[in-house]
PDB file of all heavy atoms in Angstrom:
ATOM      1  N   ALA E1144     120.377 152.575  58.437  1.00 98.00           N
ATOM      2  CA  ALA E1144     119.380 151.563  58.816  1.00 98.00           C
ATOM      3  C   ALA E1144     118.157 151.630  57.907  1.00 98.00           C
ATOM      4  O   ALA E1144     117.623 150.587  57.504  1.00 98.00           O
ATOM      5  CB  ALA E1144     118.977 151.755  60.279  1.00 98.00           C
ATOM      6  N   ASP E1145     117.721 152.841  57.576  1.00 98.00           N
ATOM      7  CA  ASP E1145     116.551 152.984  56.699  1.00 98.00           C
ATOM      8  C   ASP E1145     116.822 152.405  55.308  1.00 98.00           C
ATOM      9  O   ASP E1145     115.973 151.705  54.753  1.00 98.00           O
ATOM     10  CB  ASP E1145     116.128 154.447  56.592  1.00 98.00           C
ATOM     11  CG  ASP E1145     115.473 154.974  57.865  1.00 98.00           C
ATOM     12  OD1 ASP E1145     115.145 154.150  58.753  1.00 98.00           O
ATOM     13  OD2 ASP E1145     115.297 156.203  57.969  1.00 98.00           O
ATOM     14  N   PHE E1146     117.997 152.693  54.749  1.00 98.00           N
ATOM     15  CA  PHE E1146     118.349 152.124  53.447  1.00 98.00           C
ATOM     16  C   PHE E1146     118.397 150.596  53.529  1.00 98.00           C
ATOM     17  O   PHE E1146     117.916 149.898  52.644  1.00 98.00           O
ATOM     18  CB  PHE E1146     119.694 152.660  52.953  1.00 98.00           C
ATOM     19  CG  PHE E1146     119.601 153.941  52.175  1.00 98.00           C
ATOM     20  CD1 PHE E1146     119.879 155.164  52.778  1.00 98.00           C
ATOM     21  CD2 PHE E1146     119.244 153.938  50.838  1.00 98.00           C
ATOM     22  CE1 PHE E1146     119.803 156.358  52.064  1.00 98.00           C
ATOM     23  CE2 PHE E1146     119.161 155.129  50.108  1.00 98.00           C
ATOM     24  CZ  PHE E1146     119.437 156.334  50.716  1.00 98.00           C
ATOM     25  N   ARG E1147     118.994 150.081  54.597  1.00 98.00           N
ATOM     26  CA  ARG E1147     119.096 148.628  54.775  1.00 98.00           C
ATOM     27  C   ARG E1147     117.721 147.984  54.845  1.00 98.00           C
ATOM     28  O   ARG E1147     117.446 146.970  54.181  1.00 98.00           O
ATOM     29  CB  ARG E1147     119.897 148.313  56.048  1.00 98.00           C
ATOM     30  CG  ARG E1147     119.992 146.819  56.341  1.00 98.00           C
ATOM     31  CD  ARG E1147     120.774 146.533  57.609  1.00 98.00           C
ATOM     32  NE  ARG E1147     120.209 147.122  58.804  1.00 98.00           N
ATOM     33  CZ  ARG E1147     119.125 146.680  59.442  1.00 98.00           C
ATOM     34  NH1 ARG E1147     118.448 145.644  58.983  1.00 98.00           N
ATOM     35  NH2 ARG E1147     118.697 147.282  60.542  1.00 98.00           N
ATOM     36  N   LYS E1148     116.829 148.586  55.627  1.00 98.00           N
ATOM     37  CA  LYS E1148     115.475 148.035  55.784  1.00 98.00           C
ATOM     38  C   LYS E1148     114.692 148.096  54.476  1.00 98.00           C
ATOM     39  O   LYS E1148     113.950 147.169  54.156  1.00 98.00           O
ATOM     40  CB  LYS E1148     114.737 148.764  56.899  1.00 98.00           C
ATOM     41  CG  LYS E1148     115.309 148.448  58.280  1.00 98.00           C
ATOM     42  CD  LYS E1148     114.722 149.347  59.350  1.00 98.00           C
ATOM     43  CE  LYS E1148     115.420 149.140  60.686  1.00 98.00           C
ATOM     44  NZ  LYS E1148     115.010 150.132  61.685  1.00 98.00           N
ATOM     45  N   LYS E1149     114.859 149.189  53.713  1.00 98.00           N
ATOM     46  CA  LYS E1149     114.187 149.306  52.415  1.00 98.00           C
ATOM     47  C   LYS E1149     114.633 148.202  51.468  1.00 98.00           C
ATOM     48  O   LYS E1149     113.857 147.734  50.638  1.00 98.00           O
ATOM     49  CB  LYS E1149     114.463 150.666  51.772  1.00 98.00           C
ATOM     50  CG  LYS E1149     113.657 151.794  52.348  1.00 98.00           C
ATOM     51  CD  LYS E1149     113.989 153.104  51.642  1.00 98.00           C
ATOM     52  CE  LYS E1149     113.538 154.285  52.480  1.00 98.00           C
ATOM     53  NZ  LYS E1149     114.133 155.549  52.048  1.00 98.00           N
ATOM     54  N   LYS E1150     115.886 147.796  51.601  1.00 97.00           N
ATOM     55  CA  LYS E1150     116.422 146.718  50.765  1.00 97.00           C
ATOM     56  C   LYS E1150     116.020 145.339  51.297  1.00 97.00           C
ATOM     57  O   LYS E1150     116.244 144.330  50.628  1.00 97.00           O
ATOM     58  CB  LYS E1150     117.952 146.796  50.700  1.00 97.00           C
ATOM     59  CG  LYS E1150     118.480 147.948  49.877  1.00 97.00           C
ATOM     60  CD  LYS E1150     118.365 147.624  48.403  1.00 97.00           C
ATOM     61  CE  LYS E1150     119.048 148.681  47.560  1.00 97.00           C
ATOM     62  NZ  LYS E1150     119.130 148.275  46.159  1.00 97.00           N
ATOM     63  N   GLY E1151     115.465 145.305  52.505  1.00 98.00           N
ATOM     64  CA  GLY E1151     115.055 144.031  53.093  1.00 98.00           C
ATOM     65  C   GLY E1151     116.229 143.157  53.504  1.00 98.00           C
ATOM     66  O   GLY E1151     116.156 141.928  53.424  1.00 98.00           O
ATOM     67  N   ILE E1152     117.305 143.802  53.952  1.00 97.00           N
ATOM     68  CA  ILE E1152     118.524 143.080  54.331  1.00 97.00           C
ATOM     69  C   ILE E1152     118.697 143.154  55.847  1.00 97.00           C
ATOM     70  O   ILE E1152     118.535 144.221  56.438  1.00 97.00           O
ATOM     71  CB  ILE E1152     119.758 143.708  53.646  1.00 97.00           C
ATOM     72  CG1 ILE E1152     119.589 143.731  52.122  1.00 97.00           C
ATOM     73  CG2 ILE E1152     121.034 142.967  54.021  1.00 97.00           C
ATOM     74  CD1 ILE E1152     120.672 144.523  51.399  1.00 97.00           C
ATOM     75  N   SER E1153     119.042 142.044  56.464  1.00 98.00           N
ATOM     76  CA  SER E1153     119.304 142.044  57.905  1.00 98.00           C
ATOM     77  C   SER E1153     120.690 142.627  58.186  1.00 98.00           C
ATOM     78  O   SER E1153     121.538 142.710  57.288  1.00 98.00           O
ATOM     79  CB  SER E1153     119.242 140.618  58.461  1.00 98.00           C
ATOM     80  OG  SER E1153     120.340 139.852  57.977  1.00 98.00           O
ATOM     81  N   GLN E1154     120.910 143.020  59.427  1.00 98.00           N
ATOM     82  CA  GLN E1154     122.233 143.514  59.815  1.00 98.00           C
ATOM     83  C   GLN E1154     123.281 142.433  59.589  1.00 98.00           C
ATOM     84  O   GLN E1154     124.391 142.717  59.147  1.00 98.00           O
ATOM     85  CB  GLN E1154     122.247 143.927  61.288  1.00 98.00           C
ATOM     86  CG  GLN E1154     121.631 145.256  61.576  1.00 98.00           C
ATOM     87  CD  GLN E1154     121.785 145.655  63.038  1.00 98.00           C
ATOM     88  OE1 GLN E1154     122.065 144.829  63.902  1.00 98.00           O
ATOM     89  NE2 GLN E1154     121.585 146.931  63.310  1.00 98.00           N
ATOM     90  N   GLU E1155     122.915 141.205  59.887  1.00 98.00           N
ATOM     91  CA  GLU E1155     123.850 140.093  59.736  1.00 98.00           C
ATOM     92  C   GLU E1155     124.296 139.929  58.284  1.00 98.00           C
ATOM     93  O   GLU E1155     125.486 139.796  57.989  1.00 98.00           O
ATOM     94  CB  GLU E1155     123.207 138.799  60.228  1.00 98.00           C
ATOM     95  CG  GLU E1155     124.140 137.633  60.203  1.00 98.00           C
ATOM     96  CD  GLU E1155     124.237 136.923  61.530  1.00 98.00           C
ATOM     97  OE1 GLU E1155     123.612 137.352  62.514  1.00 98.00           O
ATOM     98  OE2 GLU E1155     124.944 135.932  61.573  1.00 98.00           O
ATOM     99  N   VAL E1156     123.336 139.968  57.373  1.00 98.00           N
ATOM    100  CA  VAL E1156     123.653 139.810  55.951  1.00 98.00           C
ATOM    101  C   VAL E1156     124.466 141.006  55.455  1.00 98.00           C
ATOM    102  O   VAL E1156     125.491 140.835  54.782  1.00 98.00           O
ATOM    103  CB  VAL E1156     122.367 139.623  55.109  1.00 98.00           C
ATOM    104  CG1 VAL E1156     122.663 139.720  53.623  1.00 98.00           C
ATOM    105  CG2 VAL E1156     121.707 138.287  55.434  1.00 98.00           C
ATOM    106  N   LEU E1157     124.029 142.217  55.797  1.00 98.00           N
ATOM    107  CA  LEU E1157     124.737 143.411  55.335  1.00 98.00           C
ATOM    108  C   LEU E1157     126.167 143.443  55.863  1.00 98.00           C
ATOM    109  O   LEU E1157     127.103 143.736  55.109  1.00 98.00           O
ATOM    110  CB  LEU E1157     123.996 144.690  55.741  1.00 98.00           C
ATOM    111  CG  LEU E1157     124.668 145.996  55.326  1.00 98.00           C
ATOM    112  CD1 LEU E1157     124.901 146.054  53.821  1.00 98.00           C
ATOM    113  CD2 LEU E1157     123.853 147.190  55.795  1.00 98.00           C
ATOM    114  N   SER E1158     126.345 143.135  57.121  1.00 98.00           N
ATOM    115  CA  SER E1158     127.702 143.170  57.677  1.00 98.00           C
ATOM    116  C   SER E1158     128.592 142.139  56.982  1.00 98.00           C
ATOM    117  O   SER E1158     129.771 142.402  56.740  1.00 98.00           O
ATOM    118  CB  SER E1158     127.678 142.958  59.188  1.00 98.00           C
ATOM    119  OG  SER E1158     127.188 141.668  59.516  1.00 98.00           O
ATOM    120  N   GLY E1159     128.037 140.984  56.637  1.00 98.00           N
ATOM    121  CA  GLY E1159     128.806 139.976  55.909  1.00 98.00           C
ATOM    122  C   GLY E1159     129.176 140.447  54.515  1.00 98.00           C
ATOM    123  O   GLY E1159     130.326 140.311  54.084  1.00 98.00           O
ATOM    124  N   LEU E1160     128.212 141.028  53.808  1.00 98.00           N
ATOM    125  CA  LEU E1160     128.467 141.527  52.452  1.00 98.00           C
ATOM    126  C   LEU E1160     129.474 142.675  52.458  1.00 98.00           C
ATOM    127  O   LEU E1160     130.271 142.820  51.529  1.00 98.00           O
ATOM    128  CB  LEU E1160     127.157 141.985  51.794  1.00 98.00           C
ATOM    129  CG  LEU E1160     126.140 140.898  51.457  1.00 98.00           C
ATOM    130  CD1 LEU E1160     124.817 141.533  51.015  1.00 98.00           C
ATOM    131  CD2 LEU E1160     126.675 139.964  50.374  1.00 98.00           C
ATOM    132  N   ALA E1161     129.413 143.509  53.499  1.00 98.00           N
ATOM    133  CA  ALA E1161     130.309 144.671  53.596  1.00 98.00           C
ATOM    134  C   ALA E1161     131.639 144.323  54.258  1.00 98.00           C
ATOM    135  O   ALA E1161     132.531 145.171  54.328  1.00 98.00           O
ATOM    136  CB  ALA E1161     129.614 145.794  54.371  1.00 98.00           C
ATOM    137  N   ASP E1162     131.754 143.098  54.765  1.00 97.00           N
ATOM    138  CA  ASP E1162     132.961 142.637  55.453  1.00 97.00           C
ATOM    139  C   ASP E1162     133.310 143.511  56.657  1.00 97.00           C
ATOM    140  O   ASP E1162     134.436 143.955  56.836  1.00 97.00           O
ATOM    141  CB  ASP E1162     134.146 142.549  54.483  1.00 97.00           C
ATOM    142  CG  ASP E1162     135.299 141.741  55.052  1.00 97.00           C
ATOM    143  OD1 ASP E1162     135.036 140.824  55.861  1.00 97.00           O
ATOM    144  OD2 ASP E1162     136.466 142.031  54.713  1.00 97.00           O
ATOM    145  N   ILE E1163     132.271 143.802  57.448  1.00 97.00           N
ATOM    146  CA  ILE E1163     132.471 144.478  58.733  1.00 97.00           C
ATOM    147  C   ILE E1163     131.738 143.657  59.794  1.00 97.00           C
ATOM    148  O   ILE E1163     130.840 142.878  59.469  1.00 97.00           O
ATOM    149  CB  ILE E1163     131.955 145.945  58.725  1.00 97.00           C
ATOM    150  CG1 ILE E1163     130.458 146.003  58.444  1.00 97.00           C
ATOM    151  CG2 ILE E1163     132.730 146.787  57.729  1.00 97.00           C
ATOM    152  CD1 ILE E1163     129.857 147.388  58.571  1.00 97.00           C
ATOM    153  N   GLY E1164     132.098 143.825  61.041  1.00 97.00           N
ATOM    154  CA  GLY E1164     131.443 143.078  62.108  1.00 97.00           C
ATOM    155  C   GLY E1164     129.993 143.514  62.298  1.00 97.00           C
ATOM    156  O   GLY E1164     129.674 144.700  62.141  1.00 97.00           O
ATOM    157  N   ARG E1165     129.132 142.554  62.635  1.00 97.00           N
ATOM    158  CA  ARG E1165     127.725 142.892  62.860  1.00 97.00           C
ATOM    159  C   ARG E1165     127.586 143.843  64.037  1.00 97.00           C
ATOM    160  O   ARG E1165     126.776 144.764  64.008  1.00 97.00           O
ATOM    161  CB  ARG E1165     126.870 141.632  63.085  1.00 97.00           C
ATOM    162  CG  ARG E1165     125.379 141.959  62.968  1.00 97.00           C
ATOM    163  CD  ARG E1165     124.476 140.980  63.687  1.00 97.00           C
ATOM    164  NE  ARG E1165     124.725 140.892  65.113  1.00 97.00           N
ATOM    165  CZ  ARG E1165     124.345 141.793  66.020  1.00 97.00           C
ATOM    166  NH1 ARG E1165     123.707 142.889  65.654  1.00 97.00           N
ATOM    167  NH2 ARG E1165     124.622 141.619  67.289  1.00 97.00           N
ATOM    168  N   THR E1166     128.371 143.647  65.081  1.00 98.00           N
ATOM    169  CA  THR E1166     128.279 144.550  66.235  1.00 98.00           C
ATOM    170  C   THR E1166     128.736 145.957  65.856  1.00 98.00           C
ATOM    171  O   THR E1166     128.218 146.938  66.375  1.00 98.00           O
ATOM    172  CB  THR E1166     129.099 144.032  67.433  1.00 98.00           C
ATOM    173  OG1 THR E1166     130.442 143.795  67.025  1.00 98.00           O
ATOM    174  CG2 THR E1166     128.507 142.753  67.994  1.00 98.00           C
ATOM    175  N   HIS E1167     129.704 146.047  64.944  1.00 98.00           N
ATOM    176  CA  HIS E1167     130.162 147.360  64.460  1.00 98.00           C
ATOM    177  C   HIS E1167     129.038 148.044  63.675  1.00 98.00           C
ATOM    178  O   HIS E1167     128.751 149.225  63.897  1.00 98.00           O
ATOM    179  CB  HIS E1167     131.406 147.183  63.583  1.00 98.00           C
ATOM    180  CG  HIS E1167     131.997 148.452  63.083  1.00 98.00           C
ATOM    181  ND1 HIS E1167     132.825 149.243  63.850  1.00 98.00           N
ATOM    182  CD2 HIS E1167     131.867 149.087  61.901  1.00 98.00           C
ATOM    183  CE1 HIS E1167     133.184 150.308  63.145  1.00 98.00           C
ATOM    184  NE2 HIS E1167     132.610 150.242  61.961  1.00 98.00           N
ATOM    185  N   LEU E1168     128.389 147.301  62.780  1.00 98.00           N
ATOM    186  CA  LEU E1168     127.265 147.854  62.019  1.00 98.00           C
ATOM    187  C   LEU E1168     126.138 148.280  62.954  1.00 98.00           C
ATOM    188  O   LEU E1168     125.554 149.351  62.793  1.00 98.00           O
ATOM    189  CB  LEU E1168     126.749 146.835  60.997  1.00 98.00           C
ATOM    190  CG  LEU E1168     125.524 147.269  60.188  1.00 98.00           C
ATOM    191  CD1 LEU E1168     125.814 148.522  59.376  1.00 98.00           C
ATOM    192  CD2 LEU E1168     125.042 146.141  59.300  1.00 98.00           C
ATOM    193  N   SER E1169     125.860 147.457  63.937  1.00 98.00           N
ATOM    194  CA  SER E1169     124.806 147.773  64.902  1.00 98.00           C
ATOM    195  C   SER E1169     125.128 149.072  65.649  1.00 98.00           C
ATOM    196  O   SER E1169     124.260 149.927  65.841  1.00 98.00           O
ATOM    197  CB  SER E1169     124.648 146.619  65.889  1.00 98.00           C
ATOM    198  OG  SER E1169     123.669 146.916  66.849  1.00 98.00           O
ATOM    199  N   ALA E1170     126.381 149.237  66.049  1.00 98.00           N
ATOM    200  CA  ALA E1170     126.794 150.457  66.758  1.00 98.00           C
ATOM    201  C   ALA E1170     126.672 151.682  65.847  1.00 98.00           C
ATOM    202  O   ALA E1170     126.267 152.756  66.300  1.00 98.00           O
ATOM    203  CB  ALA E1170     128.230 150.311  67.265  1.00 98.00           C
ATOM    204  N   ILE E1171     126.975 151.520  64.567  1.00 98.00           N
ATOM    205  CA  ILE E1171     126.824 152.618  63.609  1.00 98.00           C
ATOM    206  C   ILE E1171     125.355 152.989  63.485  1.00 98.00           C
ATOM    207  O   ILE E1171     124.991 154.168  63.561  1.00 98.00           O
ATOM    208  CB  ILE E1171     127.412 152.233  62.231  1.00 98.00           C
ATOM    209  CG1 ILE E1171     128.937 152.148  62.296  1.00 98.00           C
ATOM    210  CG2 ILE E1171     126.977 153.233  61.154  1.00 98.00           C
ATOM    211  CD1 ILE E1171     129.587 151.524  61.066  1.00 98.00           C
ATOM    212  N   GLU E1172     124.493 151.987  63.322  1.00 98.00           N
ATOM    213  CA  GLU E1172     123.064 152.255  63.151  1.00 98.00           C
ATOM    214  C   GLU E1172     122.437 152.879  64.400  1.00 98.00           C
ATOM    215  O   GLU E1172     121.485 153.644  64.293  1.00 98.00           O
ATOM    216  CB  GLU E1172     122.327 150.978  62.754  1.00 98.00           C
ATOM    217  CG  GLU E1172     122.619 150.545  61.330  1.00 98.00           C
ATOM    218  CD  GLU E1172     121.717 149.432  60.845  1.00 98.00           C
ATOM    219  OE1 GLU E1172     120.852 148.946  61.617  1.00 98.00           O
ATOM    220  OE2 GLU E1172     121.859 149.038  59.678  1.00 98.00           O
ATOM    221  N   ARG E1173     122.962 152.579  65.563  1.00 98.00           N
ATOM    222  CA  ARG E1173     122.453 153.176  66.810  1.00 98.00           C
ATOM    223  C   ARG E1173     123.043 154.558  67.069  1.00 98.00           C
ATOM    224  O   ARG E1173     122.673 155.231  68.030  1.00 98.00           O
ATOM    225  CB  ARG E1173     122.756 152.258  67.997  1.00 98.00           C
ATOM    226  CG  ARG E1173     121.935 150.995  68.042  1.00 98.00           C
ATOM    227  CD  ARG E1173     122.056 150.277  69.396  1.00 98.00           C
ATOM    228  NE  ARG E1173     123.431 150.130  69.856  1.00 98.00           N
ATOM    229  CZ  ARG E1173     124.236 149.105  69.572  1.00 98.00           C
ATOM    230  NH1 ARG E1173     123.823 148.120  68.812  1.00 98.00           N
ATOM    231  NH2 ARG E1173     125.461 149.063  70.050  1.00 98.00           N
ATOM    232  N   GLY E1174     123.996 154.972  66.238  1.00 97.00           N
ATOM    233  CA  GLY E1174     124.608 156.279  66.417  1.00 97.00           C
ATOM    234  C   GLY E1174     125.713 156.305  67.445  1.00 97.00           C
ATOM    235  O   GLY E1174     126.153 157.377  67.865  1.00 97.00           O
ATOM    236  N   GLU E1175     126.191 155.141  67.851  1.00 97.00           N
ATOM    237  CA  GLU E1175     127.262 155.067  68.841  1.00 97.00           C
ATOM    238  C   GLU E1175     128.636 155.209  68.197  1.00 97.00           C
ATOM    239  O   GLU E1175     129.606 155.528  68.870  1.00 97.00           O
ATOM    240  CB  GLU E1175     127.191 153.747  69.611  1.00 97.00           C
ATOM    241  CG  GLU E1175     125.940 153.643  70.455  1.00 97.00           C
ATOM    242  CD  GLU E1175     125.750 152.259  71.058  1.00 97.00           C
ATOM    243  OE1 GLU E1175     126.613 151.380  70.869  1.00 97.00           O
ATOM    244  OE2 GLU E1175     124.711 152.067  71.718  1.00 97.00           O
ATOM    245  N   ARG E1176     128.720 154.929  66.903  1.00 96.00           N
ATOM    246  CA  ARG E1176     129.973 155.063  66.160  1.00 96.00           C
ATOM    247  C   ARG E1176     129.677 155.707  64.820  1.00 96.00           C
ATOM    248  O   ARG E1176     128.606 155.534  64.271  1.00 96.00           O
ATOM    249  CB  ARG E1176     130.610 153.691  65.918  1.00 96.00           C
ATOM    250  CG  ARG E1176     130.957 152.974  67.206  1.00 96.00           C
ATOM    251  CD  ARG E1176     131.693 151.711  66.931  1.00 96.00           C
ATOM    252  NE  ARG E1176     133.057 152.033  66.491  1.00 96.00           N
ATOM    253  CZ  ARG E1176     134.002 151.123  66.326  1.00 96.00           C
ATOM    254  NH1 ARG E1176     133.743 149.858  66.520  1.00 96.00           N
ATOM    255  NH2 ARG E1176     135.209 151.474  65.945  1.00 96.00           N
ATOM    256  N   LYS E1177     130.660 156.437  64.305  1.00 95.00           N
ATOM    257  CA  LYS E1177     130.550 157.022  62.967  1.00 95.00           C
ATOM    258  C   LYS E1177     131.374 156.159  62.015  1.00 95.00           C
ATOM    259  O   LYS E1177     132.513 155.812  62.329  1.00 95.00           O
ATOM    260  CB  LYS E1177     131.083 158.453  62.945  1.00 95.00           C
ATOM    261  CG  LYS E1177     130.232 159.440  63.698  1.00 95.00           C
ATOM    262  CD  LYS E1177     130.847 160.827  63.613  1.00 95.00           C
ATOM    263  CE  LYS E1177     130.135 161.789  64.523  1.00 95.00           C
ATOM    264  NZ  LYS E1177     130.807 163.089  64.573  1.00 95.00           N
TER     265      LYS E1177
END
């Protein structure tokens, strides 16, 4: 999350660029998933 914020990228944009679900990225950033 810190790297993402430093880049000024939203979760929505990052998840699209990385081709993963936004909810999956959100769960990773919250520490619910590795």
Side-chain angles (χ1 to χ4, degrees):
D1145 288 348
F1146 272 100
R1147 177 181 60 75
K1148 290 171 187 171
K1149 282 180 198 165
K1150 288 282 187 171
I1152 303 171
S1153 69
Q1154 282 185 343
E1155 184 126 358
V1156 169
L1157 179 57
S1158 64
L1160 292 171
D1162 195 30
I1163 61 174
R1165 194 203 60 76
T1166 54
H1167 183 81
L1168 177 61
S1169 178
I1171 290 169
E1172 288 190 359
R1173 289 193 312 271
E1175 294 171 3
R1176 299 186 73 172
K1177 291 180 188 173

